[in-house]
Amino acid sequence: MIKWLKKSNRWKHLVGGVIIGAGANDAYCAAYAGTGAASALELKDKLYGNKWDWVDWSLTLCGVAAGYSIRTVII
């Protein structure tokens, strides 16, 4: 699992998503910011000649959901 997360810096997508989700005020804000950030990261990769990676995009959104869930439970 750790080896898979290190591939293509996937762990950075997950951690970045958690940070975005933890900083969101409500679910709409988390979803909107997370989708925008994930899409921007993948667009950057595509413009540099790489492929759009749906796994990285999904990991960012999973991180957002986890971060927002943690915030909801704590507060």
Side-chain angles (χ1 to χ4, degrees):
M1 182 72 168
I2 301 293
K3 188 176 182 180
W4 181 78
L5 279 173
K6 285 186 178 181
K7 181 182 178 186
S8 174
N9 296 321
R10 290 187 171 142
W11 66 274
K12 290 180 183 178
H13 287 269
L14 191 61
V15 171
V18 169
I19 293 168
I20 291 169
N25 290 332
D26 62 3
Y28 177 77
C29 177
Y32 193 73
T35 302
S39 297
L41 288 169
E42 292 309 311
L43 177 62
K44 179 222 20 125
D45 288 346
K46 182 141 178 82
L47 292 175
Y48 277 100
N50 298 322
K51 294 182 180 178
W52 185 282
D53 190 354
W54 286 105
V55 175
D56 285 351
W57 189 84
S58 300
L59 278 173
T60 305
L61 292 182
C62 288
V64 169
Y68 184 70
S69 298
I70 291 168
R71 177 189 171 101
T72 303
V73 168
I74 291 174
I75 294 178

